[in-house]
Amino acid sequence: MTPSITVSQAMIDAYAAISGDFNPVHVDPEFAAGTPFGQTIAHGCIPMEPIFQLVQGRLGVAVLPQGTGMTLRYLRPCHPGDTIEIVVKADGPEEGMAFQCVNQRGEAVIEGVVRLAQGGAG
Amino acid sequence: MTNPLTTYAGADLGREVCRGQITLTQGEIDRFCGLMGYDSTQYQGVAPTSMCLAFGLRLGWEAQVFPRGVIRVGDENTYGVPARAGDVLVTTLVITDRFERKGRRFLTYQMDTTNPAGQQVCRVKFTAIIPAGAA
């Protein structure tokens, strides 16, 4: 089963409390309404969460192996109400696991690559 | 007052901007597990890897390094040994790059977190758009 996460404003607010990141684009709907986003956006760490759970699940481990690298590009915002899933685009010992975090409209929110210290992620 | 070392113009690339420490508690791990849907029974004494992303963010916001309205556009992260409940974790923050593209200003922040044994827990390096009105 592919890990997914459904984002809510309550989740964003809770992540703000954990990370100390009370950037108003995340937690202040009035402020966010005046930005190009038009509404609040999730912290980038929230929509990327399923990639951690996918790799850990595949490896059968609770935490990523030491030396794991992750390169990410944030392509579009993730809003409350969005559900994010992982789509694996490629996987191999040399290039690592290329993935996208995709919302319920099929739009890529994040794209990136996970590289384990000893090679591919799968 | 804004620390000049944190501004686009004043950033001294590669110089430590701030340093902070936290003591990680099982309660914080439990809250994170609950938020992100982890089975907390697997995380007794050890934090999920993704929780490490929060340590540098917390330092950067508490030390008022990141400008209000900053937008993250990309990361290059490395994960080391797991963070454990009771660890006193030390995080340092450095601005490593600045550039302009299409009229926008970008800064790259690097946050390194180590455990009491001096082992790397994570390196979170992200690039962000600096809001037009920020220093």
Side-chain angles (χ1 to χ4, degrees):
Chain A
M1 188 174 138
T2 304
S4 66
I5 195 165
T6 298
V7 179
S8 66
Q9 187 60 51
M11 176 183 282
I12 295 170
D13 293 345
Y15 194 85
I18 287 171
S19 66
D21 183 354
F22 292 93
N23 189 336
V25 296
H26 301 309
V27 299
D28 185 341
E30 191 174 333
F31 176 90
T35 70
F37 303 118
Q39 59 178 308
T40 57
I41 62 174
H43 303 81
C45 302
I46 295 176
M48 82 162 80
E49 181 60 42
I51 189 61
F52 289 87
Q53 299 187 8
L54 177 68
V55 176
Q56 289 162 180
R58 282 187 171 194
L59 297 173
V61 296
V63 296
L64 291 182
Q66 185 175 355
T68 299
M70 198 178 283
T71 304
L72 304 157
R73 279 203 319 141
Y74 299 90
L75 303 176
R76 53 172 50 84
C78 172
H79 299 289
D82 283 355
T83 296
I84 306 297
E85 292 186 342
I86 297 294
V87 175
V88 176
K89 309 297 283 188
D91 194 6
E94 298 299 323
E95 67 270 32
M97 178 196 287
F99 66 92
Q100 289 184 332
C101 303
V102 176
N103 65 21
Q104 69 279 11
R105 292 177 295 280
E107 301 165 329
V109 172
I110 298 172
E111 65 179 12
V113 177
V114 179
R115 291 185 179 84
L116 301 183
Q118 70 271 32
Chain B
M1 180 180 166
T2 303
N3 178 345
L5 291 177
T6 68
T7 65
Y8 184 83
D12 188 357
L13 303 184
R15 177 173 167 182
E16 183 177 305
V17 174
C18 58
R19 169 181 293 253
Q21 70 176 44
I22 61 163
T23 301
L24 184 62
T25 68
Q26 185 62 48
E28 289 173 312
I29 294 172
D30 291 344
R31 278 195 294 281
F32 186 84
C33 287
L35 181 65
M36 294 301 185
Y38 286 100
D39 174 3
S40 62
T41 61
Q42 292 186 43
Y43 295 93
Q44 291 303 302
V46 63
T49 303
S50 58
M51 188 175 181
C52 302
L53 295 165
F55 302 145
L57 288 176
R58 193 185 303 183
L59 172 64
W61 285 107
E62 287 178 355
Q64 300 181 2
V65 173
F66 307 135
R68 178 181 164 92
V70 67
I71 300 296
R72 189 167 169 172
V73 295
D75 284 23
E76 290 181 32
N77 302 334
T78 307
Y79 307 101
V81 300
R84 299 187 180 281
D87 276 355
V88 178
L89 300 168
V90 174
T91 300
T92 59
L93 193 155
V94 173
I95 298 175
T96 62
D97 195 14
R98 86 179 129 223
F99 58 93
E100 290 190 39
R101 189 174 294 160
K102 296 179 181 175
R104 288 174 161 172
R105 299 176 303 164
F106 297 80
L107 285 175
T108 301
Y109 303 93
Q110 178 176 302
M111 292 144 289
D112 287 287
T113 299
T114 53
N115 69 10
Q119 298 167 304
Q120 184 185 56
V121 171
C122 64
R123 166 172 287 177
V124 177
K125 185 174 180 180
F126 73 80
T127 299
I129 302 172
I130 305 305

